[in-house]
Amino acid sequence: MKALIEKRCKLMAELDAMDEKLGEGIETRNVSQEDINAMNQKLKEVKEIDAQIEQQKETRNLKNTKEMKVEEKMETRAMLLEGKEVEIREVGMTTVSGAIKTTNGELVQKAKTTHKILEKARIMPVNGKSIVPVQKTAVDKLVPVAELSEYTKKAVEVGTVDLRPNKYGVVVPVSEELLEQASFDVEQFVREEGQRAIENTIAGKIVETLEGATKGSVARETEGVLTYQDVCNLYFGLKQEYRANGVFVMNDNHLRALMGLVGADGQPILQRDITSEFGYKLFGKEIILENDATKMYFADMNKAVVCGVGSTATVKRSDDVMFLVGAVAFKVVVSVDVQPAIEDALVFMA
């Protein structure tokens, strides 16, 4: 770059001299086309040099950024191995594409997860206790302007959900042989294992919250037997405004029972769906398998529950836990809470 800058300075000096000469020529009306062409050629060379300088600056900035990221990763690795507590921001509900993205304060989940229920639930980033507003009803029709104020007071109901996250932890073991390898990315390994454990915990807490629901029970026509009419009753048991985004949550036994059911037309009630991993839908709605669920649910998960997840997780090395098996443990801790939101957004069948 130094050579380019020196060349540019030399060209600019020549251009100044040419400009002065042309100025004198204009006054005496003695300007040749050759002088003008020569000056334009010099200007073209200066622009080309400017482009080369900018390109080299961009390359240097990219190189510096890459080196800084490598240094930061090495620093995090060193801190983990020294037993210092480290915050990993990407651990939690990552999206959503490997990093946390926020829309209206809510985490958008786009990353692949083993629990489909996480893609449907409302998940909020929290730092301590949080009061989350929940709009239970909305204005659904036009009314005369003179009546609008009073109608809105009656029609719109707003509530709150009190999130009080508790700390949950998991131990991620890593063999001493792996830690001795400089090429082993211990931070990435702990992040992935911690992420899996966090997802399992949140999914379990969501199902636990569903299991605790007391309102919205739909009884079977015959105890211990699942019929087509039972499934219809469950579907229509949910209010119309929540059915649009409703999903079925069930375990393997429920799914096995549905396999043998047919509708009034004699066709199986499960529809093939090549776009989903399982490959079937029920009444056009997605089926989510969670084997911790003891009941069959139909719910708008975004309205039925609210999840609070810490925006960061803390990671710290612990040599005592796995000492006897020749491994080092890393403790991952994150805050989680799940609370019911709108009771009418959920129905279930035991």
Side-chain angles (χ1 to χ4, degrees):
M1 185 183 292
K2 182 179 179 182
L4 288 172
I5 294 174
E6 290 176 351
K7 185 177 180 181
R8 187 183 189 281
C9 291
K10 184 179 178 180
L11 285 170
M12 290 302 297
E14 293 176 0
L15 279 169
D16 288 340
M18 294 174 72
D19 185 54
E20 186 176 346
K21 180 180 177 181
L22 283 172
E24 294 174 354
I26 292 172
E27 291 178 0
T28 60
R29 297 184 179 182
N30 187 22
V31 179
S32 67
Q33 186 63 40
E34 291 182 359
D35 291 338
I36 295 175
N37 291 340
M39 189 172 184
N40 288 335
Q41 180 62 32
K42 296 289 185 184
L43 287 170
K44 183 179 178 182
E45 291 180 23
V46 170
K47 290 180 179 179
E48 290 176 353
I49 291 174
D50 286 343
Q52 293 178 37
I53 291 173
E54 287 300 318
Q55 186 176 9
Q56 289 193 16
K57 284 182 179 179
E58 186 176 352
T59 302
R60 181 178 293 180
N61 289 336
L62 289 173
K63 183 179 179 182
N64 290 340
T65 302
K66 185 176 181 181
E67 289 175 352
M68 287 175 61
K69 287 183 178 179
V70 171
E71 289 176 1
E72 185 179 348
K73 184 175 283 291
M74 294 301 294
E75 182 180 354
T76 304
R77 175 187 173 89
M79 291 176 66
L80 284 172
L81 296 181
E82 289 172 7
K84 297 179 180 179
E85 189 172 88
V86 176
E87 278 192 354
I88 300 182
R89 297 185 179 276
E90 285 78 5
V91 172
M93 291 317 299
T94 59
T95 64
V96 332
S97 57
I100 295 178
K101 295 185 179 179
T102 309
T103 301
N104 297 329
E106 298 185 30
L107 294 186
V108 182
Q109 301 171 53
K110 295 180 181 178
K112 290 185 178 179
T113 172
T114 55
H115 295 278
K116 286 288 185 180
I117 200 168
L118 300 182
E119 298 177 1
K120 305 298 180 181
R122 181 183 182 188
I123 300 181
M124 309 285 294
V126 293
N127 291 305
K129 298 177 183 178
S130 300
I131 303 297
V132 180
V134 176
Q135 185 162 322
K136 298 183 178 181
T137 58
V139 177
D140 57 355
K141 63 180 180 180
L142 297 177
V143 296
V145 175
E147 303 174 14
L148 185 59
S149 179
E150 287 300 319
Y151 177 78
T152 303
K153 290 179 183 179
K154 297 177 182 178
V156 178
E157 182 183 357
V158 178
T160 59
V161 175
D162 189 3
L163 291 174
R164 299 176 180 271
N166 294 317
K167 289 186 176 181
Y168 290 84
V170 64
V171 171
V172 179
V174 182
S175 68
E176 293 179 349
E177 290 80 2
L178 281 175
L179 290 179
E180 291 172 358
Q181 297 180 16
S183 60
F184 177 66
D185 191 342
V186 61
E187 180 189 356
Q188 181 65 24
F189 179 77
V190 172
R191 180 187 289 113
E192 291 176 354
E193 293 299 308
Q195 175 69 33
R196 187 178 299 109
I198 290 169
E199 288 184 356
N200 291 340
T201 301
I202 298 171
K205 295 290 290 182
I206 291 174
V207 173
E208 182 181 316
T209 303
L210 296 180
E211 293 281 298
T214 56
K215 183 179 178 181
S217 176
V218 177
R220 301 193 188 200
E221 291 189 341
T222 304
E223 186 67 27
V225 178
L226 182 65
T227 65
Y228 171 68
Q229 190 59 48
D230 291 334
V231 181
C232 289
N233 292 340
L234 181 65
Y235 179 83
F236 289 105
L238 190 65
K239 290 187 176 181
Q240 184 178 359
E241 58 261 39
Y242 301 119
R243 288 205 297 266
N245 297 315
V247 294
F248 287 95
V249 181
M250 62 186 71
N251 60 36
D252 283 337
N253 291 330
H254 297 135
L255 187 59
R256 191 177 296 111
L258 289 172
M259 288 289 189
L261 294 183
V262 296
D265 58 357
Q267 298 297 317
I269 64 172
L270 290 178
Q271 301 99 34
R272 294 298 302 268
D273 177 27
I274 60 174
T275 63
S276 68
E277 183 177 352
F278 172 64
Y280 289 93
K281 285 187 175 182
L282 180 59
F283 294 156
K285 303 298 180 181
E286 187 173 350
I287 296 174
I288 296 176
L289 287 178
E290 289 290 341
N291 282 321
D292 288 338
T294 61
K295 307 166 188 173
M296 185 185 297
Y297 300 91
F298 184 47
D300 181 344
M301 295 302 303
N302 189 262
K303 300 288 194 305
V305 298
V306 176
C307 311
V309 183
S311 56
T312 61
T314 59
V315 182
K316 189 173 182 180
R317 173 173 174 165
S318 175
D319 294 312
D320 300 332
V321 180
M322 309 295 292
F323 176 76
L324 295 177
V325 293
V328 176
F330 292 90
K331 183 171 66 174
V332 182
V333 178
V334 70
S335 299
V336 177
D337 189 24
V338 180
Q339 294 293 334
I342 301 176
E343 292 181 335
D344 290 340
L346 164 72
V347 292
F348 62 90
M349 180 183 295

